[in-house]
């Protein structure tokens, strides 16, 4: 059985679907701080299976031990964590406390129960301001904000852990920018409160829930002045986790992979693509750059393709259409 922490969140829920469809049994631990319990019913509708769920926090070590006592956990996929760059600049202590201590608690319980397989949800933010593009896994790491630094610190903890015990199998997955939603429209990116990420903000403007999109920075040294990112469909990203788990089953040791497409799109290109697909004019205004943001960031997906057989297959059109489909269905509910 696979334990998914934060498994009702955006990436976690899509990964739960892919794992079940690949024949894995999963159990979800989530404190619902940035997710909704209704997602559990949506997962049942999509997969036809009732997924075991525990409401709680990874930092609650006794609760995590209880899960391991009552289930044979073969691997942990760790999604749980705070994830907003801007918020992390304002609340660094909360980010360090939550993201690092929850991981340490999990790792302690895994050690106690002899669980050797761990997939960590890292981020392209660990590359800081990379000097050249695309970004390869062996590039120097640094961080421009506390959120990225928590990911970087956890990566270092995992490396130290592997030095101490090389029987562990650890996959560090550095995500680029997931957008899109499941084709059913039942699950997608649905943050609590005002969205921090681009696509849910666009969809909420398109459906009239928000008045206009703020585009942070139009003075970057890019083709249209707005930031460029590597946007990957969340279902492609989720499949990457299935492939990573299969890799761990071969006693891989410690491995690190970028999960991206290798293509960079600017914020305005995403807005224009969305408008073309959905026929909605998304109003936007330019706002000052956010602290900690960088101008250009896109992956080299070569290593994941070569070693995992990973390849992103969804187009930008798919990403826009499925995001809008989810938002429209969600608006009706």
């Amino acid at each position: 059985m696979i334990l998914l922490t934060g498994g009702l969140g955006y990436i976690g829920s899509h990964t739960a679907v892919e794992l079940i469809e690949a024949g894995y049994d999963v159990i979800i631990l989530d404190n619902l701080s940035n997710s909704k319990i209704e997602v559990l019913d949506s997962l049942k509708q999509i997969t036809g299976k009732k997924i075991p769920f525990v409401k709680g926090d990874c930092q609650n070590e006794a609760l995590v031990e209880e899960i391991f006592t009552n289930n044979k956990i073969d691997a942990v996929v760790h999604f749980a964590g705070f994830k907003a760059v801007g918020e992390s600049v304002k609340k660094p202590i909360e980010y360090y406390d939550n993201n690092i201590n929850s991981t340490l608690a999990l790792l302690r319980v895994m050690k106690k129960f002899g669980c050797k397989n761990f997939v960590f949800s890292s981020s392209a933010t660990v590359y800081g301001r990379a000097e050249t593009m695309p970004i390869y896994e062996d590039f120097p790491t640094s961080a421009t904000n506390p959120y990225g630094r928590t990911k970087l610190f956890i990566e270092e903890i995992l490396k130290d852990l592997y030095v101490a015990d090389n029987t562990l199998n650890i996959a560090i997955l550095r995500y680029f920018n997931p957008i899109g939603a499941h084709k059913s429209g039942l699950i997608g990116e649905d943050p609590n409160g005002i969205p921090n990420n681009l696509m849910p903000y666009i969809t909420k403007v398109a459906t009239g829930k928000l008045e206009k999109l703020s585009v942070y920075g139009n003075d970057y040294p890019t083709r249209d002045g707005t930031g460029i990112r590597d946007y990957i469909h969340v279902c492609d990203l989720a499949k990457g986790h299935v492939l990573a788990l299969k890799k761990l089953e071969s006693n891989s040791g410690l491995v690190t992979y970028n999960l991206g497409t290798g293509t960079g799109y600017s914020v305005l290109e995403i807005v224009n693509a969305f408008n073309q697909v959905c026929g909605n004019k998304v109003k936007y205004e330019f706002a000052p750059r956010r602290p900690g943001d960088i101008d250009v960031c896109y992956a080299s997906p070569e290593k994941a393709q070569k070693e995992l057989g990973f390849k992103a297959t969804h187009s930008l059109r798919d990403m826009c259409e499925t995001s809008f489909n989810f938002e429209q269905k969600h608006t009706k509910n």
Side-chain angles (χ1 to χ4, degrees):
M1 182 169 272
I2 314 296
L3 171 62
L4 305 184
T5 69
L8 292 186
Y10 177 42
I11 301 168
S13 60
H14 287 81
T15 302
V17 170
E18 295 296 337
L19 285 169
I20 287 168
E21 288 180 353
Y24 290 92
D25 292 318
V26 305
I27 182 169
I28 290 172
L29 171 65
D30 198 304
N31 66 5
L32 303 178
S33 68
N34 195 31
S35 57
K36 296 178 174 66
I37 192 64
E38 293 80 17
V39 171
L40 205 54
D41 289 333
S42 298
L43 291 176
K44 187 179 178 184
Q45 281 186 66
I46 293 167
T47 64
K49 292 199 173 184
K50 188 172 189 293
I51 300 173
F53 170 69
V54 178
K55 184 185 175 186
D57 199 292
C58 300
Q59 290 197 60
N60 182 345
E61 215 162 310
L63 179 64
V64 179
E65 283 201 19
E66 195 179 309
I67 293 170
F68 273 76
T69 301
N70 296 334
N71 303 274
K72 187 183 181 306
I73 303 297
D74 302 300
V76 175
V77 184
H78 183 33
F79 297 106
F82 294 158
K83 60 174 191 173
V85 168
E87 184 183 62
S88 78
V89 175
K90 293 175 185 152
K91 298 180 174 180
I93 291 172
E94 289 87 341
Y95 269 68
Y96 287 119
D97 176 38
N98 183 73
N99 292 6
I100 294 174
N101 285 331
S102 64
T103 309
L104 290 172
L106 266 177
L107 293 170
R108 278 193 293 267
V109 176
M110 285 178 65
K111 183 177 180 183
K112 184 173 180 179
F113 284 81
C115 179
K116 300 283 189 180
N117 302 309
F118 190 73
V119 178
F120 176 55
S121 176
S122 192
S123 164
T125 54
V126 301
Y127 293 111
R129 297 183 191 280
E131 290 184 14
T132 59
M133 294 292 145
I135 291 171
Y136 292 86
E137 287 85 351
D138 60 358
F139 272 27
T141 51
S142 64
T144 61
N145 55 72
Y147 162 70
R149 219 162 275 122
T150 64
K151 295 295 188 185
L152 198 50
F153 288 166
I154 293 165
E155 285 196 11
E156 294 300 324
I157 289 166
L158 293 172
K159 289 173 189 172
D160 288 339
L161 194 61
Y162 181 68
V163 170
D165 180 3
N166 65 8
T167 67
L168 293 170
N169 297 302
I170 300 168
I172 294 170
L173 302 181
R174 293 172 177 164
Y175 305 165
F176 281 69
N177 290 68
I179 58 175
H182 191 267
K183 62 187 177 187
S184 66
L186 291 168
I187 55 173
E189 189 168 12
D190 186 27
N192 294 332
I194 300 292
N196 284 298
N197 292 343
L198 177 63
M199 189 54 87
Y201 212 112
I202 288 175
T203 59
K204 287 188 187 325
V205 173
T207 52
K209 290 183 182 176
L210 294 171
E211 185 189 351
K212 58 192 168 188
L213 169 72
S214 292
V215 176
Y216 296 105
N218 63 341
D219 57 350
Y220 286 108
T222 59
R223 51 187 172 259
D224 60 19
T226 63
I228 288 176
R229 297 289 182 273
D230 186 335
Y231 295 94
I232 178 170
H233 196 289
V234 67
C235 291
D236 284 329
L237 189 73
K239 285 189 173 97
H241 292 75
V242 178
L243 295 169
L245 276 172
K246 290 189 186 304
K247 177 77 173 174
L248 297 190
E249 288 163 10
S250 68
N251 291 321
S252 65
L254 176 73
V255 288
T256 303
Y257 299 106
N258 289 335
L259 292 183
T261 66
T263 301
Y265 293 103
S266 74
V267 174
L268 289 185
E269 285 168 343
I270 295 289
V271 172
N272 292 335
F274 187 89
N275 282 335
Q276 284 172 19
V277 163
C278 304
N280 282 60
K281 287 294 174 195
V282 173
K283 293 180 186 170
Y284 63 87
E285 65 178 9
F286 293 114
R289 297 183 187 190
R290 290 182 300 191
D293 273 353
I294 57 175
D295 49 358
V296 179
C297 180
Y298 60 93
S300 163
E302 285 174 34
K303 185 181 175 191
Q305 194 169 339
K306 185 178 172 186
E307 296 185 17
L308 298 181
F310 171 78
K311 187 161 174 55
T313 59
H314 290 77
S315 66
L316 179 57
R317 186 179 183 89
D318 292 334
M319 299 183 213
C320 294
E321 282 179 343
T322 54
S323 295
F324 191 50
N325 180 40
F326 169 72
E327 189 64 43
Q328 283 182 305
K329 286 202 171 187
H330 210 66
T331 301
K332 288 173 191 169
N333 292 342

